[in-house]
């Protein structure tokens, strides 16, 4: 063991403890984790947090626009889902998506890419619905 004033790990130099710069922070907001948690720009979540007037999917009303609906069922994302299934070799379902993702890195990246595209589009739709706030 070293001197008493020497820390075992310099936490400021350790990459696990670094802070995100602005660009990384913006990218991290568009994460596939939002699909897992159901938080983010899904109308069901926004409505529950009083940030949207409705929780219904604008295309499939009266179905709630939640993470599961958007990722697996909403026709707005059919094209992306077809591309995803070509990479995965099967359609992603609630029953197989996790197992399929961990099977191969290419599958993981394909699901993450699809998720980011979905979240990006939902974020754009959310911004277009929301009136500009006065400065």
């Amino acid at each position: 063991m070293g001197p008493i004033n020497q820390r075992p790990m310099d936490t400021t130099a350790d990459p696990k403890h670094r802070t995100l710069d602005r660009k990384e922070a913006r990218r991290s907001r568009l994460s596939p984790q939002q699909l897992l948690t159901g938080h983010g720009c899904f109308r069901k979540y926004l409505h529950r947090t009083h940030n949207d007037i409705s929780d219904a999917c604008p295309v499939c009303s009266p179905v709630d626009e939640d993470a599961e609906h958007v990722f697996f069922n909403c026709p707005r994302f059919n094209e992306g889902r077809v591309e995803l299934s070509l990479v995965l070799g099967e359609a992603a379902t609630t029953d197989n998506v996790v197992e399929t993702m961990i099977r191969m890195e290419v599958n993981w990246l394909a699901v993450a890419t699809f998720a980011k595209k979905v979240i990006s589009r939902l974020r754009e739709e959310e911004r277009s619905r929301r009136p500009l706030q006065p400065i």
Side-chain angles (χ1 to χ4, degrees):
M1 197 158 162
I4 198 160
N5 63 350
Q6 184 179 5
R7 294 179 286 168
M9 174 185 353
D10 184 359
T11 55
T12 58
D14 185 5
K16 291 186 293 189
H17 297 285
R18 70 183 176 85
T19 57
L20 297 175
D21 67 20
R22 279 184 162 169
K23 191 180 253 186
E24 287 177 305
R26 275 196 303 276
R27 279 195 306 262
S28 70
R29 281 186 237 138
L30 302 175
S31 69
Q33 288 84 356
Q34 291 179 1
L35 286 170
L36 297 174
T37 64
H39 296 149
C41 48
F42 306 105
R43 283 186 154 195
K44 184 168 185 170
Y45 174 75
L46 294 171
H47 182 69
R48 190 176 76 226
T49 59
H50 308 288
N51 290 304
D52 207 326
I53 58 171
S54 172
D55 59 0
C57 174
V59 175
C60 308
S61 187
V63 176
D64 288 347
E65 184 186 85
D66 60 10
E68 183 177 336
H69 170 71
V70 168
F71 194 82
F72 297 105
N73 302 310
C74 189
R76 289 180 288 176
F77 306 104
N78 280 346
E79 186 177 318
R81 244 181 256 111
V82 168
E83 292 172 11
L84 177 62
S85 65
L86 291 173
V87 173
L88 301 178
E90 62 185 312
T93 66
T94 55
D95 295 330
N96 74 359
V97 72
V98 173
E99 182 182 320
T100 304
M101 285 176 71
I102 62 175
R103 192 176 309 139
M104 294 186 336
E105 184 176 2
V106 68
N107 293 358
W108 182 279
L109 294 173
V111 172
T113 300
F114 175 62
K116 285 185 180 186
K117 287 179 182 177
V118 167
I119 298 296
S120 294
R121 178 155 170 203
L122 290 176
R123 179 98 27 185
E124 288 172 14
E125 291 175 6
E126 176 193 3
R127 286 186 181 129
S128 68
R129 287 191 311 268
R130 192 172 285 184
L132 294 176
Q133 301 296 323
I135 298 178

